[in-house]
Amino acid sequence: MVENLNTRVEAARNQITQLNSSINTKLSEKKDSTMAKAASAAPYLAPIRAPPSVKARRVLKGHFGKITSLHWAGDSRSVVSASQDGNLLLWNAVTANKLQSITLKSSYVMAVGIEQSKGNLVACGGLDNLCTIYKVDSPANNHAPAEMASHDGFLSCCRFLSEDQILTSSGDSTCLRWSVSTGRVIDRFAEHKADAMYLALRPNDPHCFLSCSVDKTIKLWDTRSPQTSKQTFTGHEGDVNGVDFLPSDNNAFATCSEDGTVRLWDVRAYQEVTRFGSVKQNEDPLADTGGYTSIACSKSGRLIFCGHSDSSVLVYDVLSERTTPTFTINQAHDGHVSCLGIAPDGNALCTGSWDFVLKIWA
């Protein structure tokens, strides 16, 4: 019986090896060119604006603690920020004025998201393991926040699908789709093996989204079939901290990782298309060596913006042969750049930092 079992195990291993070889062959067949070669065939590529043309146009001061998260409203004029001072602030990014302040029950907030169609709902969460939703156009005493509890770990990201549905990711390794009106979980997405760190909604598609994780993978999900992910992308050698779709193409997305690389992926090719940076060799796995914290793609899809723990913002050109930044905003802040985001209209970049300040760049 033991010999029979060993034979079956060995046969299964051989089959796995053959399947992996077939998969790699199929993937290599799709690598017929590079982004730089494809771009060279274009008749004209617009020049890239860089510093000093790109500079801080507005400085948003009002927080008294480290800023942990930000999110643009759908009108590209308002932005909401979350800070360890225990407040959410809604800003007019054009005038730099505060529109509303919301005091939170817990100061350990790590994620914030604003509803995109009307901008009247804001969600947040953190180490309290809750997703709390506030109505931003009502006085605090007229509207009690809705608290939704189901996660067993910290809330790392939250994004509204509509006025009545929201997605959350958590340190319990799951992503959840909630009904805002009932406060109940609709679907559970549970395949990651470690903390789920960030979410990205597919442009112009209400059903598909990406999640990235400390388990070094990125998964593509469809809310119509939540039982299993549609695709799993592997290759990073460290925690994947951020993910964002290229707004110009629903099939491409970018990621940043603690392994020291920024990568561009394509859903159709089911693999990495371009890589920026180089993999860090870290002999001590417990050492905090810093690195990329957040990522956002320009509306055209050509530029990838990455926040860094060294207080800079690095910008990569998708169409370039360079693996180094096309330009860098050095000392963008006086501390760790914790979050950033591109306005939906593509005209501005907002960055948030542990120096308590947000900046609008254009």
Side-chain angles (χ1 to χ4, degrees):
M1 180 179 288
V2 173
E3 291 181 0
N4 184 41
L5 182 60
N6 288 336
T7 301
R8 291 170 61 188
V9 169
E10 188 62 30
R13 286 174 176 167
N14 290 335
Q15 186 178 11
I16 290 172
T17 301
Q18 293 172 4
L19 289 172
N20 282 334
S21 177
S22 298
I23 290 171
N24 290 332
T25 299
K26 288 290 185 183
L27 291 177
S28 63
E29 290 174 356
K30 295 179 181 293
K31 281 190 173 181
D32 56 351
S33 184
T34 64
M35 293 295 294
K37 287 181 180 178
S40 65
Y44 172 74
L45 289 177
I48 293 175
R49 291 178 62 240
S53 297
V54 174
K55 57 186 177 182
R57 307 289 177 170
R58 299 287 186 275
V59 178
L60 311 183
K61 297 181 179 180
H63 281 299
F64 297 95
K66 293 178 180 178
I67 294 170
T68 55
S69 183
L70 66 85
H71 193 209
W72 282 93
D75 62 4
S76 298
R77 294 178 59 87
S78 304
V79 65
V80 64
S81 58
S83 167
Q84 289 183 358
D85 62 10
N87 292 298
L88 299 182
L89 293 182
L90 183 66
W91 306 84
N92 183 319
V94 178
T95 65
N97 293 331
K98 290 189 287 289
L99 301 177
Q100 188 167 345
S101 175
I102 299 173
T103 302
L104 307 176
K105 288 184 179 180
S106 171
S107 61
Y108 298 104
V109 61
M110 301 173 66
V112 68
I114 187 167
E115 198 277 322
Q116 294 293 291
S117 62
K118 296 181 180 178
N120 60 344
L121 296 174
V122 167
C124 68
L127 296 181
D128 57 2
N129 299 1
L130 301 174
C131 178
T132 306
I133 297 179
Y134 297 87
K135 205 162 187 177
V136 298
D137 58 356
S138 296
N141 57 354
N142 289 346
H143 181 80
E147 293 183 346
M148 302 188 297
S150 186
H151 281 300
D152 294 324
F154 64 86
L155 199 79
S156 57
C157 186
C158 52
R159 290 292 180 264
F160 283 92
L161 292 170
S162 67
E163 286 187 272
D164 192 50
Q165 290 189 15
I166 189 171
L167 280 170
T168 57
S169 61
S170 169
D172 64 11
S173 78
T174 68
C175 302
L176 299 180
R177 180 164 68 112
W178 306 77
S179 167
V180 174
S181 57
T182 65
R184 295 180 179 177
V185 175
I186 301 173
D187 296 312
R188 185 180 298 270
F189 307 87
E191 278 189 8
H192 284 299
K193 306 301 182 185
D195 304 357
M197 296 304 296
Y198 209 73
L199 298 169
L201 306 183
R202 197 174 194 174
N204 306 314
D205 185 341
H207 303 294
C208 294
F209 70 95
L210 292 164
S211 62
C212 62
S213 170
V214 172
D215 67 10
K216 308 175 187 178
T217 68
I218 309 98
K219 291 183 179 288
L220 176 67
W221 303 89
D222 191 316
T223 57
R224 293 165 292 192
S225 52
Q227 296 80 13
T228 58
S229 61
K230 296 305 174 185
Q231 291 180 309
T232 299
F233 297 85
T234 60
H236 277 299
E237 298 179 27
D239 303 357
V240 185
N241 290 332
V243 60
D244 193 27
F245 272 105
L246 273 64
S248 57
D249 187 344
N250 291 355
N251 296 304
F253 63 92
T255 56
C256 64
S257 169
E258 290 189 7
D259 65 8
T261 65
V262 174
R263 308 190 188 199
L264 181 69
W265 311 76
D266 192 279
V267 171
R268 296 159 297 188
Y270 206 162
Q271 62 187 313
E272 172 188 321
V273 177
T274 302
R275 181 186 304 188
F276 303 99
S278 57
V279 176
K280 293 189 297 186
Q281 301 300 323
N282 185 14
E283 297 180 357
D284 182 1
L286 298 179
D288 183 9
T289 57
Y292 299 112
T293 61
S294 47
I295 192 168
C297 300
S298 66
K299 189 175 182 180
S300 68
R302 184 174 176 182
L303 299 179
I304 300 174
F305 297 83
C306 297
H308 201 280
S309 59
D310 67 1
S311 76
S312 66
V313 174
L314 292 83
V315 186
Y316 297 96
D317 182 1
V318 168
L319 302 182
S320 171
E321 293 182 348
R322 297 175 53 175
T323 60
T324 55
T326 296
F327 68 87
T328 301
I329 305 175
N330 292 308
Q331 299 300 311
H333 285 270
D334 292 331
H336 180 109
V337 177
S338 55
C339 49
L340 53 74
I342 298 285
D345 65 7
N347 289 330
L349 169 74
C350 183
T351 58
S353 169
W354 286 4
D355 64 4
F356 309 173
V357 167
L358 296 108
K359 292 183 180 181
I360 308 295
W361 305 81

